[in-house]
Amino acid sequence: MIRKPPTLDPYPKIYLYRRLVQAKLFIDDHYAEAIDIDNMADEATFSKFHFIRLFKTTYGKSPHQYLTSVRIENAKQLLQTDITVTETCERVGFNSITSFIGLFKRFTGLTPSAYQQQQHDRHAALIQNPLHFIPNCFAEKKGWTPPHPKP
Amino acid sequence: MITKMNHVSIFVLNQDSAYDFYVNKLGFKVHTDAPMGPGARWLTVCPPEQPDLEISLMAIEEGMMFKNGTAKHMRDLVKQGTFGFGVFECKNLLATYEELKARGVEFTKAPTKEFYAFEALFKDDSGNWFSLGERN
């Protein structure tokens, strides 16, 4: 009896990516905890070496670099509130305030406290003069400004 | 000479729900979120690597923009999936497809190699559809 070959999935890589994505989502959900490369590779059920290589090829950064970027992005969100820099550092999973400040500056060009001040100033300006942030054509269409004179 | 586009609108049924979709599911960044009086809000988001393109998530509500019952008509059209508002790009379509699916994004076409691109199609929470392509 001639056995048919199994049906080939046109994109077998999908299963590989599914596991990789699982690890990425794990980082997104657990960035505030003390996670390391072993936790991440376990989540994807890859060997550590294979995981790091595939992650970097797919996302353009190592898992550790990605974890750092997620922590910084979340710190940026927290710093838009009145939370202190020290508490922000702890809440996004950094152990050392010095390394947090250094990394934050490397990613954003500003120290966390300067960034927080900048965001507070922008928010105050937004509340005071929201129309300064909206193209007039939209504001006018919405009825937020008087119509402009016809040419 | 026109050099670039910096604002574009997507009409949505509900801005709170659109915020959740574009920010928490697609991973876009909030650019401006300003209260504009009772029931009105100016909300723009940007694709993560395109901070100078503000996508305005525009609520379809009866008012200056939609008059004389046109809001209902527009809402019906959006719900029916009439509008495709653009093509998004990613570096790895299979990985992005898996990630967005895991986040709850509904795809209407799985990644497919077409003549012009490797692409998938997805819908936002209102019914607007988009192409998602891989840039090589």
Side-chain angles (χ1 to χ4, degrees):
Chain A
M1 184 177 106
I2 300 169
R3 297 182 68 182
K4 279 185 177 175
T7 308
L8 291 176
D9 187 315
Y11 307 111
K13 277 185 181 172
I14 199 88
Y15 301 107
L16 206 64
Y17 286 122
R18 207 165 281 169
R19 286 155 60 192
L20 189 69
V21 162
Q22 206 168 326
K24 183 174 183 283
L25 295 175
F26 175 79
I27 299 172
D28 291 343
D29 291 341
H30 297 272
Y31 67 89
E33 298 163 27
I35 55 174
D36 60 21
I37 197 71
D38 291 318
N39 304 134
M40 302 174 205
D42 285 352
E43 196 62 32
T45 58
F46 285 133
S47 72
K48 203 164 25 174
F49 173 75
H50 187 44
F51 171 62
I52 293 171
R53 197 166 52 89
L54 186 60
F55 196 99
K56 200 164 181 178
T57 308
T58 306
Y59 297 112
K61 53 184 85 168
S62 71
H64 187 263
Q65 287 168 330
Y66 178 69
L67 171 64
T68 302
S69 71
V70 171
R71 285 175 168 165
I72 297 294
E73 279 304 316
N74 279 279
K76 284 164 71 179
Q77 296 300 315
L78 288 174
L79 288 168
Q80 291 181 24
T81 67
D82 287 329
I83 189 174
T84 64
V85 171
T86 309
E87 200 181 340
T88 302
C89 167
E90 287 164 6
R91 281 179 51 177
V92 299
F94 288 109
N95 301 320
S96 146
I97 186 80
T98 314
S99 68
F100 169 56
I101 292 171
L103 285 165
F104 192 93
K105 194 166 179 186
R106 199 193 305 165
F107 274 74
T108 67
L110 295 170
T111 62
S113 51
Y115 179 83
Q116 188 169 43
Q117 188 59 52
Q118 183 200 62
Q119 292 302 307
H120 285 189
D121 292 346
R122 184 176 188 274
H123 183 70
L126 189 64
I127 295 301
Q128 199 174 355
N129 288 309
L131 291 175
H132 290 190
F133 294 79
I134 305 172
N136 198 60
C137 53
F138 288 108
E140 197 180 298
K141 271 280 180 196
K142 283 282 190 182
W144 295 332
T145 58
H148 64 266
K150 286 200 162 68
Chain B
M1 154 176 101
I2 294 174
T3 52
K4 61 203 293 196
M5 179 178 265
N6 57 33
H7 282 77
V8 67
S9 299
I10 294 173
F11 292 101
V12 299
L13 301 178
N14 178 293
Q15 283 177 309
D16 289 340
S17 167
Y19 181 107
D20 182 56
F21 181 84
Y22 284 88
V23 177
N24 299 328
K25 293 195 168 109
L26 294 192
F28 286 15
K29 305 291 174 203
V30 176
H31 186 286
T32 303
D33 189 358
M36 298 301 295
R41 177 184 189 185
W42 174 253
L43 174 61
T44 68
V45 296
C46 304
E49 294 186 12
Q50 206 170 11
D52 57 354
L53 175 63
E54 286 184 67
I55 298 172
S56 167
L57 301 175
M58 198 80 86
I60 309 167
E61 279 156 4
E62 199 72 25
M64 285 287 286
M65 186 173 269
F66 295 102
K67 295 174 186 163
N68 308 321
T70 53
K72 186 194 175 306
H73 189 48
M74 182 68 175
R75 291 173 72 84
D76 289 343
L77 288 171
V78 168
K79 276 186 221 168
Q80 288 160 18
T82 308
F83 302 109
F85 276 111
V87 178
F88 291 119
E89 181 181 301
C90 63
K91 293 189 178 83
N92 185 311
L93 181 58
L94 291 178
T96 308
Y97 169 73
E98 283 302 319
E99 179 176 346
L100 294 182
K101 267 203 321 179
R103 291 190 186 285
V105 175
E106 187 186 338
F107 279 82
T108 54
K109 179 182 177 183
T112 307
K113 286 200 164 83
E114 300 290 2
F115 291 117
Y116 53 93
F118 186 32
E119 70 149 25
L121 295 178
F122 69 87
K123 288 197 305 188
D124 74 4
D125 58 303
S126 294
N128 301 304
W129 56 268
F130 299 91
S131 169
L132 174 64
E134 179 175 297
R135 180 117 175 153
N136 295 313

